Amino acid sequence: MQYRTLGKTGLSVSLVGMGGIPIQKIDEARAEQVVSAAIQAGINFFDSARGYTDSEAKLGRVFGSYHAPGKLVIATKSAAKTKSEILKDVEVSLKNLRVKTIDLYQLHNVKDEATLDAVMAPGGAVEGLREAQTKGWIRHIGITGHVPEILVKAVKTGAFATVQFPFSAVEQEAAKMLLPLAAELGLGVIVMKPLAGGALSNSDLALRFLFEHPVTTVIPGMASVEEVAQNSSLGERALPLTPKEREVLEQQVQSLGKTFCRRCEYCLPCPQNVNIPMVFLLDGYYTRYGLQSWAEERYRAMERKAKDCAECGLCEERCPYNLPIRSMLKEASSRFDRE
């Protein structure tokens, strides 16, 4: 396994890390096998979140019995906005992960200026994480999100050691803005959604495409020992794409380009208050990750659903990718809004 330095943290992390979403859908015994296989394959960076149901706890079953402290780099995150809320979340994460210190604690999905202002304000989440650092609960502070303009503004504050964002052959907009800035500021770069939420079926080509860029670690989600073996082996060689392979990948990208939501949120606000990107995100979990029950539960909790679309078309006028949002909402509704 190749390793790279996670920016100013100085931590050495595996080029292929492990994202914590898919292990939600497998039982504890199988999750333990997958996480153990990842460690044996040289993967040492693991990323979870308070919002990923039992993901932290499943990782913790292995971390708690691991006999080489300091060899793993453990990251998780919280969407809490206030100091008190995030300190509570850090305590829960420590308990779930069964560690004394979390290497990287990130603000989860900071998506607009109001949220960024809230977490940066006195009494906000950043202040809470700094206190967690003084307590020895966490080592470094990072940020994640899907809106590059917000992440650019956030990292320029100097409050963060790492930045995590979606980057794939399908979704390159954020990388174009953030990679040069990360290099300038000495930030570690964590790539989420490297397979475009599962839309890119050839993980070999998709991951090797990312290795060619100045990223620190790429964190595909893995729910089987076979997936661990396949992805970790790519991180051992990190071979550049051949011209033919690049052509194959580009063909797949072109086939997805017109029907793939990048979650830029330019379609919002919806006059009917439908959170359109969230509908598509949950639909992706339903169709690509096999997390049907998980996605359905969160969809049911949404106040306004895909079926509430009035087909006004305003979202499609705003969408920079010209997505057929109305028909996409109907398709999602056919899965989620069954009577």
Side-chain angles (χ1 to χ4, degrees), residues 65-117:
S65 59
Y66 188 63
H67 299 299
K71 297 295 185 180
L72 302 182
V73 178
I74 299 169
T76 193
K77 47 195 177 289
S78 165
K81 297 181 177 63
T82 68
K83 175 181 177 179
S84 60
E85 290 172 338
I86 205 159
L87 283 171
K88 290 178 182 177
D89 274 354
V90 172
E91 289 191 83
V92 174
S93 293
L94 285 166
K95 181 179 179 180
N96 286 343
L97 293 165
R98 304 188 192 184
V99 294
K100 294 181 179 180
T101 305
I102 294 167
D103 297 290
L104 177 64
Y105 212 95
Q106 303 160 101
L107 300 184
H108 192 179
N109 192 24
V110 178
K111 61 183 180 178
D112 52 44
E113 291 201 12
T115 302
L116 179 60
D117 290 344

Side-chain angles (χ1 to χ4, degrees), residues 147-201:
V147 184
E149 293 84 359
I150 299 300
L151 291 177
V152 165
K153 185 174 181 179
V155 299
K156 284 183 176 180
T157 66
F160 306 101
T162 64
V163 60
Q164 181 177 152
F165 55 88
F167 180 24
S168 69
V170 175
E171 191 171 10
Q172 302 185 44
E173 293 77 16
K176 291 175 183 177
M177 298 176 64
L178 287 163
L179 289 182
L181 186 58
E184 177 186 338
L185 299 175
L187 303 180
V189 175
I190 304 162
V191 175
M192 62 169 156
K193 304 292 187 295
L195 304 181
L200 293 170
S201 57

Side-chain angles (χ1 to χ4, degrees), residues 3-13 44 70 73 103-104 139-140 161-162 186-188 216:
Y3 296 84
R4 295 180 180 179
T5 301
L6 190 63
K8 63 180 72 175
T9 72
L11 297 168
S12 179
V13 300
N44 77 336
V73 178
D103 297 290
L104 177 64
R139 291 193 173 90
H140 303 284
T162 64
L187 303 180
T216 314

Side-chain angles (χ1 to χ4, degrees), residues 1 46 48 53 58 104 114 220 264 272 330:
M1 176 64 67
F46 295 85
S48 189
T53 59
K58 284 175 175 171
L104 177 64
C264 66
Q272 304 303 318
K330 286 181 180 179

Side-chain angles (χ1 to χ4, degrees), residues 19-310:
I21 289 178
I23 62 171
Q24 296 172 95
K25 69 179 181 180
I26 57 179
D27 62 33
E28 289 184 347
R30 187 176 169 196
E32 189 169 348
Q33 291 176 346
V34 171
V35 177
S36 297
I39 294 174
Q40 292 168 9
I43 292 173
N44 77 336
F45 184 85
F46 295 85
D47 177 76
S48 189
R50 290 295 310 114
Y52 296 169
T53 59
D54 61 357
S55 173
E56 286 183 338
K58 284 175 175 171
L59 290 169
R61 281 172 58 88
V62 178
F63 298 161
S65 59
Y66 188 63
H67 299 299
K71 297 295 185 180
L72 302 182
V73 178
I74 299 169
T76 193
K77 47 195 177 289
S78 165
K81 297 181 177 63
T82 68
K83 175 181 177 179
S84 60
E85 290 172 338
I86 205 159
L87 283 171
K88 290 178 182 177
D89 274 354
V90 172
E91 289 191 83
V92 174
S93 293
L94 285 166
K95 181 179 179 180
N96 286 343
L97 293 165
R98 304 188 192 184
V99 294
K100 294 181 179 180
T101 305
I102 294 167
D103 297 290
L104 177 64
Y105 212 95
Q106 303 160 101
L107 300 184
H108 192 179
N109 192 24
V110 178
K111 61 183 180 178
D112 52 44
E113 291 201 12
T115 302
L116 179 60
D117 290 344
V119 298
M120 296 297 301
V126 170
E127 184 176 307
L129 290 180
R130 286 174 176 155
E131 182 172 317
Q133 282 180 310
T134 64
K135 292 176 179 288
W137 293 354
I138 68 171
R139 291 193 173 90
H140 303 284
I141 301 172
I143 188 169
T144 83
H146 296 270
V147 184
E149 293 84 359
I150 299 300
L151 291 177
V152 165
K153 185 174 181 179
V155 299
K156 284 183 176 180
T157 66
F160 306 101
T162 64
V163 60
Q164 181 177 152
F165 55 88
F167 180 24
S168 69
V170 175
E171 191 171 10
Q172 302 185 44
E173 293 77 16
K176 291 175 183 177
M177 298 176 64
L178 287 163
L179 289 182
L181 186 58
E184 177 186 338
L185 299 175
L187 303 180
V189 175
I190 304 162
V191 175
M192 62 169 156
K193 304 292 187 295
L195 304 181
L200 293 170
S201 57
N202 192 323
S203 63
D204 183 319
L205 303 186
L207 295 184
R208 287 166 53 208
F209 165 81
L210 295 171
F211 298 159
E212 297 176 346
H213 295 78
V215 302
T216 314
T217 185
V218 179
I219 55 169
M222 292 172 270
S224 72
V225 172
E226 291 75 20
E227 288 176 340
V228 168
Q230 179 181 7
N231 292 336
S232 62
S233 67
L234 298 174
E236 295 170 7
R237 301 185 303 275
L239 297 174
L241 296 176
T242 66
K244 178 60 178 176
E245 289 173 330
R246 202 175 302 278
E247 181 181 343
V248 170
L249 183 60
E250 181 58 30
Q251 288 174 350
Q252 186 174 10
V253 168
Q254 291 300 321
S255 71
L256 293 170
K258 294 184 179 181
T259 57
F260 185 81
C261 175
R262 279 82 165 176
R263 301 176 302 280
C264 66
E265 300 192 350
Y266 293 149
C267 57
L268 300 180
C270 164
Q272 304 303 318
N273 292 319
V274 177
N275 187 335
I276 298 167
M278 180 58 69
V279 170
F280 294 152
L281 180 63
L282 294 177
D283 196 41
Y285 287 147
Y286 185 103
T287 58
R288 296 176 187 138
Y289 283 119
L291 291 167
Q292 286 88 353
S293 297
W294 185 88
E296 287 174 341
E297 179 182 351
R298 279 150 183 77
Y299 181 81
R300 286 194 297 269
M302 294 179 66
E303 184 175 347
R304 302 289 285 176
K305 313 265 191 313
K307 64 182 180 180
D308 295 315
C309 170

